[in-house]
Amino acid sequence: MTAYKEYKVVHIVEGGCGTIFLGSSGLPLKKMEVTLNEQAAEGWQVVFQVIERKRFWLFWNREAVIVTLGRNS
């Protein structure tokens, strides 16, 4: 297992409007791709990720991805 000198946590959330009007809009894959590419250009690597599902308002559930990034510089 590689030990990193720095860690960063990125939280990417499903859109609220799609959750309300469609019941579920899915994770914003394009936003995830752009965010991870920007972080990779700065030397960050994905260490761990988890998908969480939380209650949104009264009737809906909303998904989010929590990504832990690490780098040695």
Side-chain angles (χ1 to χ4, degrees), residues 2-64:
T2 304
Y4 296 98
K5 292 182 180 178
E6 293 181 86
Y7 290 92
K8 179 191 281 192
V9 177
V10 179
H11 188 244
I12 303 169
V13 182
E14 175 182 8
C17 290
T19 302
I20 292 171
F21 294 117
L22 302 174
S24 178
S25 63
L27 291 168
L29 297 180
K30 190 64 178 171
K31 180 180 177 183
M32 281 180 56
E33 182 180 323
V34 168
T35 302
L36 292 176
N37 283 332
E38 288 172 352
Q39 299 303 319
E42 295 177 13
W44 294 97
Q45 296 179 359
V46 174
V47 176
F48 182 77
Q49 73 178 17
V50 65
I51 298 176
E52 73 171 356
R53 177 174 252 165
K54 292 168 60 174
R55 182 165 301 281
F56 180 67
W57 288 0
L58 187 58
F59 302 107
W60 301 281
N61 287 320
R62 191 173 180 184
E63 287 186 343

